[in-house]
Every structure is written in C-alpha cells, then in structure tokens.
Amino acid sequence: APRLSEERAMRTQAQNALDQEKVSSKRQLESRIAEQTRRLLEENRELSRLSLTDALTGLPNRRALTESFAREAARAKAAGQPLSIALLDVDHFKRFNDTHGHAAGDQCLRVVAREIRQHLPRTGDLAVRWGGEEFCLLLPNTHLDGALIVVERVRLAIQAARVDWGHAEASVTVSLGVHTLTDWTQPIDLDAAMVIVDRALYRAKSSGRNKVVAATEMT
C-alpha cells in the first residue's frame, strides 16, 4: 500500500509538471504569435507610409495628395469652406542640373522641400512632391488672399535659401500657380483642379518666372 501510494503521488507530480509545461509552452507560443503580429503590423504601417512618401525629399508623394484631396474636398464641401491648391515649379531646373550635376540637382530639390515644409503655417496644410521639380501645396479652409500670402512666403524663402552640395553652393527661384475652390455645387476632382492651377503656373513662368499667379488673374 505505501508503495502504491508513492507511485500515485509520483504520477500525480509528473502529470502536474507536464500540465505546467504545457501551460508554459502555450503562453510562450501566444507571446511569440503576439510579437510576430505586432511586428507585421508595424512593417505594414511602414510600407504604407513609404508608399505615400517621396524617397528623395521625404515629402508625401502624388498618391498621398490624391487621397488627401478627396478627403479635404469632401470636408470643404460639407462645411462650405474654401480649399486652395498651389503648384510650384523650380525655375530653370534643367539648366541647374546640367550645370552643377545631378547630385546638386537632388540637393536643390531637398532644399526646396525643406523650405516649403518650414513655411507652411498649419499642421493641416499639405506639401507634396508632385513629380520632377514640381511640388504641390494643399491648403484647407484657406481663401485665395490667404493662399497668396502663404505661397509668396514660400517663394521668398526659397529665393533666399542656399543650395549647398559640399564643394559649392547656388540659389534657385520658383514660380507658382494658385487656385481656390469655392463652388461646391459641381463635382470636381484633383485632375480638374490641377488643370486650372497648371495654367496659372504656366502664366507665371511665361511672364518672367520667380512669381506667383492666381488662376483668377487669367479671366
């Protein structure tokens, strides 16, 4: 009887140890799964961020503007607020690139992006690299007069900045077209808005560069 009792106790002890090991293994597995899930979510968020970011300047890219414009246009329409958009182009950028080299050209775009970012007054404003040497500014709840003040400040800041690429430096100027959306009775998309603001930018460049032209000046 004592021997049977001892064996039962040993079996119970062994079973308890096995159960504890199972519980511990389950917790470790759940912890590993939770950590892997967290890591995957972080990686997916980072991939999503990168897909909306221009690698050279660090600004949002055209895709980000498309998403933001749809959201801000819907918000402006619902609230009856204006939405201003500006298109900026670096003057004579091809000449700058050909004269100083592509490394200097890349640094030029970084400097332009930096000045735009530093001189947008509100967190709700958005600056993106539209493509090449063009940048786009989206200014929610901003009338034309306010938008002209903002983009003129950006223009002057870029004109005053120095593009330093290590062994030399230079300066550049930019031209800008501005358009403010106020009539929400008709549907409008980003492409339609960009056609209008691009015409204003063309007028700024064709009339001497280094200036701001509003779309209303063309009517």
Side-chain angles (χ1 to χ4, degrees), residues 190-203:
L190 178 60
D191 290 339
M194 291 305 293
V195 168
I196 297 171
V197 76
D198 189 57
R199 289 174 184 160
L201 171 62
Y202 179 79
R203 175 68 63 86

Side-chain angles (χ1 to χ4, degrees), residues 56-57 88 90-93 95-97 99-116 133 135 154-174:
L56 177 64
T57 63
L88 176 155
V90 180
D91 296 328
H92 301 297
F93 182 72
R95 182 192 302 172
F96 185 96
N97 235 1
T99 302
H100 303 295
H102 291 294
D106 287 348
Q107 181 61 12
C108 172
L109 296 177
R110 293 189 193 98
V111 169
V112 169
R114 181 195 69 201
E115 296 301 319
I116 294 172
E133 66 271 25
F135 298 80
V154 169
R155 184 190 69 80
L156 291 174
I158 294 172
Q159 179 179 270
R162 303 298 293 178
V163 180
D164 184 347
W165 57 95
H167 59 277
E169 63 177 30
S171 60
V172 294
T173 61
V174 295

Side-chain angles (χ1 to χ4, degrees), residues 42-115:
E42 288 182 354
E43 290 175 355
N44 286 337
R45 280 195 292 267
E46 179 64 9
L47 287 173
S48 178
R49 185 190 69 80
L50 291 174
S51 72
L52 298 174
T53 303
D54 173 61
L56 177 64
T57 63
L59 290 178
N61 59 20
R62 183 182 292 216
R63 179 182 168 189
L65 177 63
T66 301
E67 295 182 4
S68 295
F69 181 87
R71 182 173 58 252
E72 294 298 341
R75 184 178 301 163
K77 181 178 181 179
Q81 296 174 342
L83 177 62
S84 291
I85 187 167
L87 188 60
L88 176 155
D89 184 88
V90 180
D91 296 328
H92 301 297
F93 182 72
K94 185 178 184 303
R95 182 192 302 172
F96 185 96
N97 235 1
D98 292 344
T99 302
H100 303 295
H102 291 294
D106 287 348
Q107 181 61 12
C108 172
L109 296 177
R110 293 189 193 98
V111 169
V112 169
R114 181 195 69 201
E115 296 301 319

Side-chain angles (χ1 to χ4, degrees), residues 34-45:
E35 175 62 21
Q36 290 174 354
T37 301
R38 183 192 63 78
R39 192 175 302 146
L40 285 172
L41 288 173
E42 288 182 354
E43 290 175 355
N44 286 337
R45 280 195 292 267

Side-chain angles (χ1 to χ4, degrees), residues 18 85 94 104 133 158 175 181 210 217:
L18 181 61
I85 187 167
K94 185 178 184 303
E133 66 271 25
I158 294 172
S175 301
L181 300 167
N210 193 24
E217 298 178 35

